[in-house]
Amino acid sequence: MINNELYINDVRYVADLNLPWEFMKGKTIMITGASGMIGSAMIDVIMYRNMYLGMDCTVYGVGRDIEKGKKRFIEYWNNKNFQFISHDINLPFSQNMDVDYIVHLASNTHPVAYSTDPVGTITTNIIGTNNLLNYAVLNGTKRFMFASSNEIYGENKGDIEFFDEHYCGYIDSNTLRAGYPESKRCGEALCQAFKKKKNLDVVIPRLTRSYGPTMLMSDTKAISQFIRKGIAGENIILKSEGKQYYSYTYMMDAVAGLLTILLNGKNGEAYNIADESGDIILKDLAMVIAGYAGTEVVFEVPDEIEKVGYSTATKARLDGSKIRVLGWKPQYDINNGVKRTMDILRHIM
């Protein structure tokens, strides 16, 4: 990935954004979920600034699988500014390190994971978050970032077109699928509790459905499946009528949003990382990808395991006006973003 010119251009674009990077110069940052789609891209951006722009920020990438981490970050493995820490965040940290910033990205984020690992989905967002918040307090962390999700808004009640940061829709908590959004809601509440009782500086980005070339091949989100099918030259399988209307964000635009909130966000605030240019109806998304791949869209009934993990929300469009005030805007709309993703993956798969 790091040797792909298109991907490096994306990394360079974010690394050159007009942000107060001086706040990170000579500091340390811990990123959980380091090998994931967003975490790995964020590490690439910070390490690019370290290697080419003299930022000298030490990165602690936290993940459970050290071999997976080494494969993904082999270019940085012996770099003085990078250290991969193999750790399950559901267990307390025993390491005693000064960490200026903690970015908590670790989480199950796709439907099959919700249905096959429901306990792990919940505990990472609650127990893991609590462990990290306690670690932040003990080590004098300057700012804690908890990556939340558009899922916390629940189902649109039909009273609004876009979800702003104060909207609260319907979630049936007595379902297996509810473990993800409810635990994200609880994680946010934990952050606010630590802000109040421990004077911890916290910010909460709410990510939309994210996609991009750093996506994991095991990801079962609809857009990820569509892209994999398109790259393989296969028909796009749509397992519903495709009327769902969602917000999407290209992963490097999501990283730009995270960094904007980390460096410019206000203590205690939540921010949607979203823009209308990333909104699309699901069947139209399938058509865009199939059209670029030269294939067709095929409708198919999902199996029971898949169905359990699927969101029941039919409209989830996020209001991104609050983060735009901080200076963020996406580089890619949904059409160009999926094409960019496919162009990069075609060269590395």
Side-chain angles (χ1 to χ4, degrees):
M1 183 69 69
I2 202 67
N3 295 317
N4 181 279
E5 187 58 32
L6 292 176
Y7 180 71
I8 286 298
N9 286 340
D10 284 346
V11 171
R12 187 180 297 116
Y13 169 80
V14 178
D16 287 338
L17 287 174
N18 183 24
L19 292 171
W21 297 104
E22 64 272 12
F23 293 157
M24 296 180 70
K25 187 175 179 61
K27 299 295 192 297
T28 57
I29 183 169
M30 176 185 286
I31 300 174
T32 70
S35 301
M37 175 171 61
I38 304 297
S40 61
M42 189 174 192
I43 288 173
D44 286 336
V45 169
I46 296 171
M47 291 304 296
Y48 181 91
R49 286 197 62 88
N50 280 340
M51 293 188 291
Y52 301 107
L53 299 172
M55 190 161 72
D56 193 31
C57 175
T58 298
V59 178
Y60 298 120
V62 180
R64 288 178 293 186
D65 190 336
I66 193 167
E67 291 304 318
K68 182 179 178 182
K70 188 171 185 179
K71 182 178 180 181
R72 176 60 178 84
F73 303 115
I74 188 65
E75 291 85 358
Y76 318 135
W77 206 253
N78 296 314
N79 189 296
K80 69 179 181 65
N81 287 119
F82 179 80
Q83 182 180 341
F84 188 87
I85 299 172
S86 178
H87 183 79
D88 181 347
I89 62 167
N90 288 321
L91 303 173
F93 276 87
S94 59
Q95 297 93 342
N96 184 21
M97 304 176 298
D98 290 331
V99 180
D100 295 297
Y101 301 99
I102 293 178
V103 177
H104 181 20
L105 298 170
S107 180
N108 284 336
T109 58
H110 60 97
V112 169
Y114 305 152
S115 58
T116 59
D117 184 26
V119 175
T121 297
I122 295 169
T123 56
T124 299
N125 290 326
I126 299 177
I127 296 174
T129 301
N130 185 64
N131 287 336
L132 286 164
L133 286 163
N134 277 308
Y135 186 83
V137 171
L138 290 173
N139 288 276
T141 296
K142 291 180 173 60
R143 168 155 281 186
F144 185 96
M145 174 182 280
F146 174 65
S148 190
S149 166
N150 60 268
E151 295 269 3
I152 64 101
Y153 293 113
E155 295 187 38
N156 192 314
K157 295 180 290 187
D159 56 342
I160 198 166
E161 184 66 24
F162 294 94
F163 297 160
D164 67 16
E165 286 78 2
H166 299 290
Y167 187 81
C168 189
Y170 171 75
I171 294 175
D172 182 355
S173 61
N174 194 31
T175 64
L176 184 68
R177 179 59 175 75
Y180 180 68
E182 294 285 22
S183 61
K184 282 293 187 184
R185 284 182 169 186
C186 187
E188 290 196 18
L190 268 172
C191 289
Q192 295 298 338
F194 271 79
K195 175 182 179 291
K196 174 67 175 179
K197 298 299 292 184
K198 305 290 186 179
N199 295 316
L200 184 63
D201 186 303
V202 300
V203 283
I204 301 169
R206 291 174 180 160
L207 294 159
T208 61
R209 290 165 169 82
S210 303
Y211 66 95
T214 54
M215 69 184 195
L216 303 179
M217 291 302 103
S218 59
D219 194 324
T220 56
K221 290 193 294 289
I223 189 169
S224 302
Q225 295 185 63
F226 293 174
I227 289 170
R228 284 199 301 273
K229 290 284 188 180
I231 293 167
E234 300 174 8
N235 290 333
I236 307 302
I237 308 299
L238 190 57
K239 299 191 176 185
S240 69
E241 293 182 11
K243 296 180 180 179
Q244 301 93 321
Y245 199 1
Y246 296 148
S247 294
Y248 295 88
T249 309
Y250 184 67
M251 61 60 233
M252 202 56 81
D253 285 327
V255 170
L258 291 173
L259 288 164
T260 298
I261 295 165
L262 184 69
L263 298 173
N264 286 336
K266 182 180 177 182
N267 181 18
E269 293 294 310
Y271 298 87
N272 292 333
I273 302 178
D275 185 81
E276 287 184 51
S277 67
D279 296 357
I280 193 169
I281 295 171
L282 192 63
K283 65 180 179 181
D284 293 337
L285 173 62
M287 293 297 294
V288 167
I289 295 171
Y292 196 57
T295 60
E296 297 180 351
V297 177
V298 177
F299 293 84
E300 184 178 293
V301 177
D303 63 38
E304 290 305 312
I305 292 178
E306 291 173 314
K307 190 182 295 184
V308 167
Y310 285 172
S311 171
T312 57
T314 56
K315 182 184 283 188
R317 303 180 70 194
L318 272 60
D319 181 345
S321 58
K322 187 174 179 180
I323 191 175
R324 284 197 295 273
V325 173
L326 300 183
W328 177 84
K329 63 180 180 179
Q331 183 182 20
Y332 296 104
D333 61 19
I334 185 64
N335 289 278
N336 291 318
V338 295
K339 291 174 182 178
R340 182 75 165 187
T341 299
M342 294 171 71
D343 287 342
I344 293 173
L345 287 177
R346 279 177 176 142
H347 286 91
I348 65 175
M349 290 181 66

